[in-house]
Amino acid sequence: MVFGILSAAIQVGFAALLGFLAGGPIGLLIGAVVGLVIGAVFGWSVASAGVYASDARGIFLFVVDHTWSLLNTVVGAIYLTVHLIFGHSLDRPTSLNSGRVSVVEGVSPRYATTIGTVCAGSSSGIQRHEDVHIFQGRLLGPLYIPLVLANYVLFTIAPVWLLYHDHTNAPINRFTRYFEIGVYPHVWNEAIAYRIQGTPPR
């Protein structure tokens, strides 16, 4: 319960600060309201699923997620809120003491998606891969999302990955495969995660 309340309060403060910097007192008010909504959803999820253990590791992960990696946590909270609006449900057994909020349903039945500490649509067979993304976010903090987005843009408009792509086993023979088989598995965060667990799509 304490972790959930603290998480919500931190996110309200962060959103209010961003709002104030962007739009003064009115921006502060709008930011605080938005932060309250997403912070309350995320805080409730953290508390009800027991995401952070009360041991040294759990406290450490909570501190990292709400300081250095706060941007990732906030974006993940927005992502979680959207999932719950669409009626998706928390995977409480998988979330318990894991340091991540797991959602049963994913965005796509073919892929799990992790943003911040929120992992949707995963399974035991690919959870290690998704946990790599959570670690990457915690390690790189506010740099993580911009670096991932920059790599997607770069590899979309300048496909240097074609030089080392496995054209025999994973041919790029239609437009959708350019992104699904080409860009996606070659961006740095996915390439690292696939080396640790999983097989890139073919």
Side-chain angles (χ1 to χ4, degrees), residues 2-31:
V2 173
F3 286 133
I5 293 170
L6 284 175
S7 179
I10 291 167
Q11 291 187 63
V12 170
F14 179 70
L17 176 61
L18 289 181
F20 179 74
L21 294 174
I26 298 297
L28 183 145
L29 181 61
I30 294 170

Side-chain angles (χ1 to χ4, degrees), residues 81-88:
T81 302
V82 173
H83 270 285
L84 297 181
I85 287 171
F86 278 91
H88 296 176

Side-chain angles (χ1 to χ4, degrees), residues 58-200:
I59 294 169
F60 174 75
L61 292 179
F62 179 87
V63 169
V64 170
D65 291 342
H66 291 81
T67 54
W68 172 243
S69 191
L70 180 58
L71 177 61
N72 301 312
T73 300
V74 170
V75 175
I78 295 168
Y79 177 60
L80 173 65
T81 302
V82 173
H83 270 285
L84 297 181
I85 287 171
F86 278 91
H88 296 176
S89 52
L90 293 177
D91 185 345
R92 287 180 173 81
T94 303
S95 299
L96 182 64
N97 297 332
S98 66
R100 77 176 107 75
V101 178
S102 295
V103 179
V104 175
E105 303 85 355
V107 175
S108 161
R110 294 189 61 195
Y111 297 103
T113 307
T114 297
I115 299 178
T117 59
V118 178
C119 178
S122 188
S123 65
S124 58
I126 58 168
Q127 190 58 61
R128 192 167 167 220
H129 174 110
E130 298 306 316
D131 286 343
V132 169
H133 296 318
I134 296 173
F135 174 77
Q136 291 166 338
R138 286 172 172 155
L139 181 65
L140 296 173
L143 303 176
Y144 177 67
I145 292 174
L147 287 173
V148 170
L149 292 176
N151 197 180
Y152 268 101
V153 171
L154 174 65
F155 277 13
T156 298
I157 62 176
V160 295
W161 49 267
L162 284 169
L163 298 173
Y164 52 87
H165 178 74
D166 183 357
H167 295 278
T168 303
N169 294 314
I172 309 296
N173 50 19
R174 62 180 182 274
F175 184 73
T176 55
R177 287 179 65 83
Y178 179 84
F179 295 98
E180 185 178 9
I181 311 301
V183 176
Y184 159 72
H186 290 99
V187 292
W188 70 269
N189 65 313
E190 292 296 344
I192 291 170
Y194 276 119
R195 281 182 180 271
I196 292 172
Q197 185 189 42
T199 303

